[in-house]
Amino acid sequence: MTSYDQIWETFLNNCETSDFDVPQEEEDIYKSIRNAILHFNNRLRDNLKADDSTETVNRELSEDDILILAHYLRYIFLLNKKTLFENTWQPFTNDVGIKNFGTQINSLNKSVAEQRDEIERLILNATVDYL
């Protein structure tokens, strides 16, 4: 069975983000992995299950699957970062003089789109191997 550590290490090695955005507490890491598994299952029509007590998923994952999960973790972090930024700063853009709000939102939107495209590329690459 694949461990949470394998998934998390792959995420950290492939999807560099600031320490501020990455959960540090064990329970928050578990929640993040479970959420990525939900997205993975939905997109791939899979039935992967997480077990926090053993810190594993219910089967041995291929390298492709681990990489896809790692990128789903980053995708979710980027979406959350974008939503937080919008909700925090949009109401105050005129009051505090944030002139580059639109530029920052466009940059976050581009990062989210690029990550989504990368996930689709990884899925396609993994699928091609099975054909």
Side-chain angles (χ1 to χ4, degrees):
M1 292 198 265
T2 300
S3 72
Y4 284 8
D5 284 344
Q6 289 172 280
I7 296 166
W8 195 249
E9 285 176 24
T10 302
F11 163 71
L12 292 176
N13 289 333
N14 289 280
C15 304
E16 183 90 18
T17 62
S18 71
D19 288 343
F20 180 75
D21 297 328
V22 177
Q24 302 299 317
E25 299 296 320
E26 195 170 87
E27 183 57 34
D28 293 333
I29 292 170
Y30 291 178
K31 288 177 188 177
S32 297
I33 291 172
R34 286 193 310 265
N35 194 26
I37 288 171
L38 288 174
H39 286 265
F40 178 91
N41 285 342
N42 180 268
R43 174 60 182 86
L44 297 173
R45 309 316 302 159
D46 206 323
N47 195 27
L48 190 61
K49 302 273 188 232
D51 183 352
D52 291 349
S53 64
T54 61
E55 297 183 355
T56 60
V57 294
N58 62 331
R59 67 172 188 267
E60 190 67 34
L61 297 176
S62 69
E63 290 176 350
D64 289 330
D65 290 342
I66 294 171
L67 197 54
I68 291 166
L69 271 173
H71 281 273
Y72 265 119
L73 282 163
R74 182 162 192 267
Y75 176 69
I76 294 163
F77 289 139
L78 286 170
L79 280 175
N80 290 340
K81 184 176 184 176
K82 178 182 155 298
T83 301
L84 177 65
F85 184 81
E86 286 174 332
N87 291 336
T88 301
W89 294 108
Q90 189 172 23
F92 304 107
T93 53
N94 293 333
D95 296 340
V96 295
I98 297 177
K99 296 178 182 171
N100 61 352
F101 178 80
T103 303
Q104 290 181 10
I105 287 297
N106 288 340
S107 175
L108 288 168
N109 281 332
K110 184 177 179 189
S111 294
V112 168
E114 287 173 353
Q115 189 60 49
R116 185 177 52 242
D117 292 346
E118 177 67 9
I119 290 168
E120 291 305 315
R121 186 187 65 77
L122 291 169
I123 291 170
L124 180 64
N125 288 349
T127 304
V128 168
D129 287 346
Y130 295 119
L131 295 178

